[in-house]
């Protein structure tokens, strides 16, 4: 539900603009307000779950997310909808890390835990594509408001079942690192805002530069605070293990490369091939299905091969899939041109990134599970946001050059997409290099031991 809400609104944006009277620039905040709060507060949400109770924070976060979805569905002004999206982001930041930590502490037997974490990864990864499908279905059959209302029964069911079936794990009484919370959350939010601003206003914009500089300084301060705090918000020992550190880095690089497929192919299918919103969503269904199917094999493959061969082969497949997209043309068909890339990306992402959940979450002590989950989701969110900002900048420069040369609108779009997919392939290739740094080890836990 949390990941799906990142993309489910994309398809509904034109209807929202017409109904509520958003300006062209203001419309972007329907997406950015959620991303900004969600990405900026994940670290705090993860550590708060460790200290205050993960079950409690999960239920509180899901309840807030559900109420905010209901309020957003009834919004009659742009400000009301953006406020509801901010509240959704806060609820998601509370519930997301606690979800991952609860899976880790609930399933104590290694193989059962691996299956649970692999299923979690498959649901989260498939959520991006399913969001496009669900958004298209609900927007075309009902209205854009139903995209928010659908969260209400799901969220209510989660809360009821969580209260009945989920047991609160052992809490670790401690003081919340308030200085770390302030500097870390503000720094992450400033960086996310800077990336968002770069995508819309360019890297030379004063607010872009100021936000990125402020975010970097705040995060530098945050690291110094964490190194000297007895009970840190982010235990730096999480990065002491080589496999875990490499997994975190690839959780940053993977979404950077993968976001290009969703963002640019959606435009390509609609603007060049004339797909409707619903047809565009279903075009991504094969990739979602094969990605989910691949993650179901992780509990079998990971103990046998370890993280290194899977991460390397997955990143290579992902790089190949993105590289093939650089050959798209105006007349490229779906079956011959797009489908092979989508299938390669689906298998590649499943092999490369589903094991990373297991590598990270099975090698941390239970007291740090919430913090570890918060860092994981922060890396994923920041990678997606930064990747989109970089790729949109590359796209804009190439498309402007093509337009200045007198190219037709379709060719202008393709020129920008080709350069963006080239940059995306280079990012994916970097993930291959990081994957090569994994230790070649075997074991039921994916080849890692606690640092």
């Amino acid at each position: 539900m949390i990941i799906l809400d990142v993309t489910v609104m994309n398809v509904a944006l034109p209807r929202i603009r017409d109904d509520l009277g958003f300006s062209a620039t203001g419309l972007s905040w329907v997406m950015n307000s959620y991303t900004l709060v969600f990405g900026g507060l994940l670290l705090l949400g993860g550590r708060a779950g460790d200290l205050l109770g993960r079950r409690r924070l999960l239920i509180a976060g899901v309840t807030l997310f559900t109420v905010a979805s209901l309020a957003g569905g009834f919004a009659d002004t742009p400000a009301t909808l953006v406020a509801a999206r901010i509240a959704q982001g806060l609820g998601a930041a509370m519930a997301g890390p606690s979800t991952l930590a609860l899976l880790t502490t609930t399933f104590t037997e290694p193989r059962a835990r691996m299956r649970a974490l692999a299923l979690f990864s498959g649901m989260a990864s498939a959520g991006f594509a399913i969001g496009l499908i669900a958004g298209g279905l609900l927007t075309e059959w009902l209205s854009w408001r139903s995209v928010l209302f659908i969260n209400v029964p799901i969220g209510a069911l989660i809360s009821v079942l969580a209260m009945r079936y989920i047991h609160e794990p052992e809490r670790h009484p401690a003081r919340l690192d308030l200085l770390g919370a302030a500097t870390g959350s503000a720094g992450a939010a400033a960086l996310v805002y800077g990336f968002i601003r770069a995508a819309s206003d360019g890297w030379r914009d004063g607010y872009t530069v100021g936000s990125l500089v402020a975010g970097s300084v705040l995060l530098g301060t945050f690291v110094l605070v964490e190194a000297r705090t007895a009970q840190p918000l982010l235990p730096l020992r999480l990065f002491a293990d080589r496999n875990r550190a490499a997994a975190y880095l690839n959780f940053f690089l993977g979404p950077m490369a993968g976001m290009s497929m969703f963002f640019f192919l959606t435009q390509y299918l609609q603007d060049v091939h004339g797909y409707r919103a619903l047809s565009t969503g279903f075009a991504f269904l094969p990739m979602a299905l094969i990605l989910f199917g691949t993650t179901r094999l992780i509990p079998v493959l990971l103990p046998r091969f370890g993280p290194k061969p899977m991460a390397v082969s997955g990143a290579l497949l992902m790089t190949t899939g993105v590289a093939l997209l650089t050959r798209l043309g105006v007349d490229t068909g779906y079956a011959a041109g797009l489908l092979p890339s989508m299938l390669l990306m689906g298998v590649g992402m499943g092999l490369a990134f589903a094991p990373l959940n297991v590598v990270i979450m099975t090698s941390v002590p239970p007291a740090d599970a919430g913090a570890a989950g918060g860092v994981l989701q922060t890396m994923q969110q920041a990678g997606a946001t930064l990747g989109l900002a970089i790729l949109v900048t590359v796209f804009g420069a190439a498309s402007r050059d093509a337009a200045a040369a007198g190219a037709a609108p379709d060719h202008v779009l393709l020129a920008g997409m080709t350069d963006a997919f080239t940059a995306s392939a280079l990012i994916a290739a970097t993930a291959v290099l990081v994957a090569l740094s994994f230790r070649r080890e075997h074991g039921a836990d994916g080849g890692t031991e606690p640092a």
Side-chain angles (χ1 to χ4, degrees):
M1 183 175 69
I2 291 171
I3 299 297
L4 182 144
D5 240 69
V6 176
T7 56
V8 73
M9 298 291 287
N10 272 305
V11 178
L13 287 178
R15 304 276 182 92
I16 294 173
R17 178 193 60 213
D18 297 339
D19 194 11
L20 297 185
F22 272 93
S23 65
T25 53
L27 186 64
S28 65
W29 282 102
V30 175
M31 303 300 299
N32 293 343
S33 56
Y34 179 80
T35 304
L36 184 63
V37 177
F38 183 30
L41 296 178
L42 273 168
L43 285 177
L44 179 59
R47 200 50 168 167
D50 289 338
L51 302 180
L52 304 178
R54 294 163 189 160
R55 176 180 177 270
R56 177 184 300 173
L57 212 64
L58 168 70
I59 295 171
V62 170
T63 301
L64 175 59
F65 189 95
T66 303
V67 173
S69 298
L70 182 64
F74 284 115
D76 56 0
T77 65
T80 306
L81 180 58
V82 170
R85 292 288 283 169
I86 290 172
Q88 278 187 310
L90 177 58
M94 294 167 63
S98 293
T99 301
L100 195 52
L102 281 167
L103 286 175
T104 304
T105 55
T106 299
F107 295 92
T108 55
E109 195 274 319
R111 288 191 177 276
R113 179 188 290 172
M114 193 182 307
R115 286 195 298 270
L117 292 174
L119 182 58
F120 172 89
S121 181
M123 294 295 287
S125 300
F128 284 105
I130 293 171
L132 295 173
I133 300 169
L137 280 170
L138 294 170
T139 302
E140 290 202 8
W141 289 357
L142 299 172
S143 76
W144 67 264
R145 297 179 186 276
S146 63
V147 172
L148 290 163
F149 286 145
I150 193 65
N151 291 325
V152 176
I154 297 173
L157 183 63
I158 293 170
S159 297
V160 170
L161 294 178
M163 286 188 285
R164 181 170 181 179
Y165 292 110
I166 296 179
H167 300 289
E168 183 71 77
E170 179 185 358
R171 289 171 58 184
H172 304 275
R175 295 180 60 186
L176 189 61
D177 175 18
L178 295 180
L179 181 58
T183 54
S185 298
L191 279 184
V192 171
Y193 176 76
F195 299 153
I196 292 170
R197 182 90 185 186
S200 59
D201 295 84
W203 293 95
R204 296 182 181 180
D205 174 74
Y207 287 106
T208 299
V209 175
S211 295
L212 294 176
V213 171
S216 300
V217 171
L218 284 167
L219 288 181
T221 304
F222 169 71
V223 171
L224 292 177
V225 170
E226 299 308 277
R228 300 183 178 188
T229 301
Q231 297 173 335
L233 182 71
L234 171 61
L236 298 182
R237 58 183 174 271
L238 292 177
F239 301 94
D241 178 74
R242 192 173 86 185
N243 275 14
R244 195 186 308 132
Y248 274 131
L249 182 54
N250 261 3
F251 248 118
F252 181 77
L253 294 170
M256 283 185 72
M259 278 299 291
S260 63
M261 170 168 281
F262 295 105
F263 185 79
F264 294 112
L265 284 187
T266 299
Q267 298 179 58
Y268 174 77
L269 290 170
Q270 294 188 9
D271 295 342
V272 176
H273 288 288
Y275 280 39
R276 296 177 59 124
L278 184 57
S279 303
T280 301
F282 274 106
F284 288 93
L285 184 59
M287 185 183 73
L289 291 175
I290 197 165
L291 193 159
F292 185 75
T294 302
T295 60
R296 300 294 287 160
L297 298 175
I298 299 303
V300 177
L301 298 176
L302 189 57
R304 181 173 181 181
F305 298 105
K308 184 171 185 175
M310 295 181 65
V312 171
S313 58
L316 282 171
L317 289 172
M318 204 175 139
T319 304
T320 305
V322 177
L324 287 176
L325 293 175
T326 63
R327 304 175 62 85
L328 291 180
V330 175
D331 300 321
T332 302
Y334 174 79
L338 285 177
L339 187 58
S341 292
M342 288 185 171
L343 296 179
L344 285 171
M345 285 285 286
V347 177
M349 287 191 291
L351 290 177
F353 303 114
L356 303 185
N357 273 323
V358 182
V359 169
I360 292 170
M361 298 305 297
T362 59
S363 62
V364 295
D368 292 333
V375 176
L376 185 155
Q377 292 173 322
T378 299
M379 298 293 277
Q380 184 180 46
Q381 191 69 23
T385 306
L386 175 59
L388 189 57
I390 293 173
L391 297 172
V392 166
T393 303
V394 172
F395 171 86
S399 58
R400 283 192 296 271
D401 291 343
D410 285 353
H411 292 281
V412 170
L413 177 66
L414 283 168
M417 284 175 48
T418 299
D419 279 17
F421 284 133
T422 301
S424 185
L426 293 174
I427 296 170
T430 306
V432 177
L433 298 179
V434 174
L436 289 170
S437 69
F438 278 106
R439 292 190 303 269
R440 185 182 290 275
E441 296 180 9
H442 301 276
D445 62 352
T448 63
E449 294 295 335

